[in-house]
Amino acid sequence: MSDPIRIGVLVSGTGSNLQSIIDHCETGKINASVVCVISNKAEAYALERARKHGIRALHVDNHAFHSRESFDAAVVALLLEHQVQLVALAGFNRIVSSVLLDAFPMAVMNIHPALLPAFPGSRAQRQALQYGVRISGCTVHFVDLGTDSGPIIIQAAVPAYDSDTEESLAARILAEEHKIYPKAIQLFAEGRLSIEGRKVHIKPPAEPTAAFLENPPANLR
Ligand code: GAR
């Protein structure tokens, strides 16, 4: 198997998606390793999660920079220093600039708690409930210069019930986020993603290399 890809995760908050990515890496379910976690918020619990796993946890205070570009340049310098190959935004509450995107072409992903292109931006779950949708979900996408507008890699859907609150819908969506983000990262790690215009193409898996005990299988009818 090839070397695990090196992921840098950008966060601002709780970091449950970060935790899911770390767990998938540590159990070998994905061929990747989180090498640094960067937060614009010093108090983000995600930083604590990283430390617990011996991962470099870095705070870059956005208030210390006069522009979006200069903040992103400081983040890029740290990502390059850690030889990051994929940047994963996981609850990162900032719009990124071309400084980050140009440094990591086709290698910046984000997760959003809605079925894009519906309900981009903040408080997507609340937007969905206020609109009255019956189905919502989450989206992993490549990042472009727009807000939650980049090419879609994976989506998962969940029901939205009349009895839902913003919190109950968010929790149902989050459970799916924790599954699809690692899956998208694994597809990237296997080199199976390509982008054509707005569309992400997913190549079929390579032929299994392990020897078959029996092929065709015994239960073939
Ligand atoms: C997640 O629901 C993520 O999809 C959302 O923030 C939450 C972060 O949770 N991101 C956005 O809304 C970005 N527009 P986490 O910190 O527990 O991973």
Side-chain angles (χ1 to χ4, degrees):
M1 209 203 280
S2 53
D3 286 342
I5 59 152
R6 299 173 65 81
I7 310 177
V9 183
L10 306 192
V11 294
S12 302
T14 312
S16 69
N17 276 290
L18 166 70
Q19 188 68 56
S20 172
I21 294 167
I22 293 172
D23 292 346
H24 279 76
C25 292
E26 287 188 350
T27 55
K29 289 187 187 136
I30 63 178
N31 189 28
S33 170
V34 178
V35 294
C36 65
V37 173
I38 302 173
S39 174
N40 59 320
K41 304 261 186 216
E43 69 281 8
Y45 182 62
L47 289 176
E48 190 54 35
R49 291 183 193 267
R51 287 187 204 105
K52 282 185 184 161
H53 289 265
I55 297 166
R56 282 294 295 282
L58 304 155
H59 170 224
V60 182
D61 183 0
N62 52 284
H63 298 110
F65 297 86
H66 64 277
S67 68
R68 195 172 291 290
E69 286 73 17
S70 56
F71 170 81
D72 282 4
V75 169
V76 165
L78 290 170
L79 294 168
L80 293 175
E81 184 188 308
H82 288 83
Q83 297 176 307
V84 161
Q85 296 163 286
L86 172 67
V87 182
L89 314 188
F92 187 55
N93 68 2
R94 289 180 59 81
I95 305 279
V96 302
S97 72
S98 56
V99 171
L100 178 74
L101 300 182
D102 290 350
F104 294 92
M106 295 195 334
V108 183
M109 283 185 190
N110 180 43
I111 187 145
H112 183 73
L115 290 176
L116 292 170
F119 314 122
S122 61
R123 299 189 77 173
Q125 303 93 334
R126 186 167 85 150
Q127 293 184 55
L129 285 179
Q130 284 181 344
Y131 197 89
V133 301
R134 295 294 185 193
I135 306 277
S136 189
C138 46
T139 304
V140 181
H141 62 94
F142 283 112
V143 175
D144 65 9
L145 284 172
T147 302
D148 302 318
S149 58
I152 291 169
I153 304 166
I154 304 186
Q155 295 184 302
V158 302
Y161 300 119
D162 286 347
S163 57
D164 265 325
T165 60
E166 191 178 342
E167 291 72 29
S168 64
L169 179 61
R172 194 174 306 120
I173 292 172
L174 206 52
E176 299 312 309
E177 294 186 36
H178 297 164
K179 296 177 201 159
I180 67 170
Y181 213 168
K183 204 177 258 186
I185 290 170
Q186 179 60 11
L187 289 171
F188 182 93
E190 291 173 5
R192 288 170 58 193
L193 300 178
S194 60
I195 305 175
E196 191 186 357
R198 271 220 54 84
K199 279 196 156 182
V200 174
H201 296 287
I202 303 179
K203 289 194 206 90
E207 289 297 318
T209 49
F212 286 104
L213 291 174
E214 210 173 10
N215 184 19
N219 63 1
L220 188 77
R221 292 183 187 195

